[in-house]
Amino acid sequence: MQTSPQQDWIRDLVVYQIYPRSFQDSNGDGIGDLPGVLQHMDYLEQLGINAIWLSPVYRSPNDDNGYDISGYQEIMEEFGTMADWEAFRDQCKARGIRILMDLVVNHSSDEHPWFEESRSSRDNPKSDYYIWHDPAPAGGPPNNWASVFGGSAWEFEPRRGQYYLHIFSKKQPDLNWDCPALREEIFSMMDWWAEKGVDGFRVDAISYLEKPQGFPDSPLPPQPDGYSLFNNWVAGSEGTHRYIRMMHDRVFGPRGLVTVGEVSLNRPEEVVDYVDPDRREFTMAIPFVPPVVEIATWSPEKLVADAARDWALLGERGWWARFLSNHDKPRQVSLYGSDKAFWEPSAKLLGLLIHTLPGTPFLYQGEELGMTNLAFSSIDQYNDPEAKNRYRQLLLEGTDPAEALRTIQLESRDNARTPMQWDDSPNAGFTTGTPWLQVNPNYTRINAASQERDPASILHFYQALIALRKEHPALSRGDFAQVATGSPTLLAYRRTHARETLLTVLNFSPQPVELPQGLVPQGAQALLSSYNREGGWQGTFTLRPYEATLFLLPAAQA
Ligand code: GLC
Ligand code: CA
């Protein structure tokens, strides 16, 4: 059996990502936890989502907030116990919510027992579980490779007289996928979770499993600290795809799991290699684009053009993850919309976009409330290792510290990691203690409780949006066709399935725009809109800033 969208339920998924550390603290230690997640199961059910992607909850020393795993079959103490996880699983099952566990298998923590053994000598049984290399002939690291989080990607281990490789922090040594025993450990661990009832995995940083033979220098220009990034350069090699196919054939396929690969693409077309069902790899992919690149290159026109390109690449065969937010990105309303003057309509427009394009919509916690970025006033307030490294690199480049801080304020992953804003009580109801990361002070205005009371809120808009997916199969199964509007910020596209056609129209800008005559056909019915518009839609009139509407077209137009 293949994991492919031919399994009908995959087309119906609406996935909600929980970053447990920031979701709900239940015991006052300032850190979100699994019992905290359980407090909000009704909230999630009411939202209408039917799958949860749970960011890592495994045992971890938290060098990278759980993306450094020291026990794959244990729960992080701060988050609770395995019994808490089982209670979460049972609650999900009872409510028809599928569970996607985040799985980090490019690397483990340096505190994982495998690594402790591997580093202890050159001839222990787990010696090959990680990637070890002798020093360069002149001494020092074997090559010029940079870690994503700064400095060399190699760290010296005196007990072996060798270096180990870490694409991410030095507390995240890369696993050696070339070692059959290591692969078998990973596969049986995946099996164990599937056996415990998970429906699938979001597989972290998965494009780098195979490292090039002989470990040549990266051809990319050096960063300010002298090392050259290499991860994108090695991404997506044949060997890496072979390893992913092994996971599929050994675990994902036989168990019918849904899988979401977090991939690095050097060309957009490469996504096909990961998600074409014939290749037996993943169900869908989440392409990783560094925030600095996304901030510099995105545009409304590009968002829809990219969707059109994906449709041309995969058509009805393949499948996509649709998202604007996750724990590695700034908040979507701040990045793509307007977090000030047009906060509410722009947050709604972004929701409408994601839920009406082909593929599975992914929501990141707080997006459904229009949560915004938070600019910390000092670099010390940041927790994100990537932000700290970027700040260092900027200073090395000679950037003025105030300017460097402004860059971090825009880019940092901590923007997405500030605690959930549940209500207007102290710390937004997230904790009774001191939160591990500062709560955004706008919680008195932006919070779930007040939006639950307001039928015109962003939260209610998302509930309606998710409900529409169930009523209109054109959203989950329809063809996609872009409609020309003559403007780069006025976007329109149709989704058609059987005899039904839906039309999305988005004024993706803070300026009003005139709606061209005929773009919305006679008799079109507005299903959901980012503004209330009294009166009809026919003829020519002006769309307000970030006005966005989903229409059902009359049968004759379909
Ligand atoms: C992925 C995760 C990110 C983490 C990195 C290393 O990109 O989404 O949060 O830092 O992998 O595991
Ligand atoms: Ca806690």
Side-chain angles (χ1 to χ4, degrees), residues 456-506:
S457 65
I458 299 167
L459 177 61
H460 279 272
F461 184 89
Y462 267 81
Q463 290 172 351
L465 204 46
I466 295 169
L468 281 174
R469 191 177 185 83
K470 296 177 187 139
E471 289 160 34
H472 297 282
L475 292 177
S476 50
R477 287 154 176 76
D479 290 352
F480 172 83
Q482 208 176 338
V483 179
T485 68
S487 155
T489 51
L490 178 62
L491 302 165
Y493 48 87
R494 291 177 176 220
R495 304 289 313 281
T496 303
H497 178 72
R499 296 171 56 80
E500 181 180 75
T501 296
L502 301 184
L503 169 70
T504 301
V505 177
L506 312 160

Side-chain angles (χ1 to χ4, degrees), residues 162-207:
Q162 285 182 312
Y163 285 83
Y164 67 84
L165 180 67
H166 58 91
I167 292 188
F168 296 94
S169 92
K170 65 177 182 208
K171 289 189 64 64
Q172 294 168 295
D174 280 48
L175 290 161
N176 179 15
W177 274 78
D178 208 22
C179 166
L182 176 274
R183 290 200 302 264
E184 192 44 43
E185 300 254 23
I186 299 286
F187 298 152
S188 57
M189 174 273 287
M190 290 172 163
D191 262 336
W192 186 86
W193 279 106
E195 213 40 59
K196 276 191 90 65
V198 313
D199 301 285
F201 298 109
R202 177 267 187 189
V203 194
D204 186 73
I206 203 61
S207 300

Side-chain angles (χ1 to χ4, degrees), residues 59-61 68-74 108-121 124-127 129-130 132 159 173 175 182 185:
R59 188 152 75 88
S60 166
D68 49 321
I69 300 174
S70 55
Y72 285 94
Q73 287 159 234
E74 292 159 80
S108 74
S109 164
D110 67 336
E111 296 181 34
H112 194 290
W114 297 338
F115 188 72
E116 283 171 353
E117 192 170 337
S118 191
R119 81 189 316 177
S120 67
S121 71
N124 70 79
K126 298 196 167 37
S127 166
Y129 273 34
Y130 295 83
W132 294 99
R159 279 176 283 173
L175 290 161
L182 176 274
E185 300 254 23

Side-chain angles (χ1 to χ4, degrees), residues 64 67 107 149 168 202 204-205 262 327-328 413 417:
D64 188 21
Y67 286 88
H107 45 272
F149 294 156
F168 296 94
R202 177 267 187 189
D204 186 73
E262 188 208 22
H327 65 292
D328 291 332
R413 308 188 296 176
R417 299 177 181 185

Side-chain angles (χ1 to χ4, degrees), residues 291-358:
V292 53
V293 175
E294 183 70 358
I295 291 169
T297 58
W298 85 275
S299 70
E301 205 178 9
K302 182 172 181 295
L303 288 176
V304 175
D306 287 354
R309 180 205 57 214
D310 292 349
W311 179 259
L313 284 173
L314 281 163
E316 290 165 11
R317 276 169 56 74
W319 202 246
W320 302 264
R322 282 286 163 219
F323 65 99
L324 292 172
S325 290
N326 59 42
H327 65 292
D328 291 332
K329 296 188 65 179
R331 286 283 174 182
Q332 68 187 45
V333 73
S334 302
L335 171 52
Y336 304 105
S338 149
D339 61 12
K340 301 202 170 60
F342 303 109
W343 167 70
E344 188 178 312
S346 69
K348 290 177 178 176
L349 173 144
L350 297 171
L352 193 67
L353 172 72
I354 287 306
H355 288 255
T356 61
L357 289 174

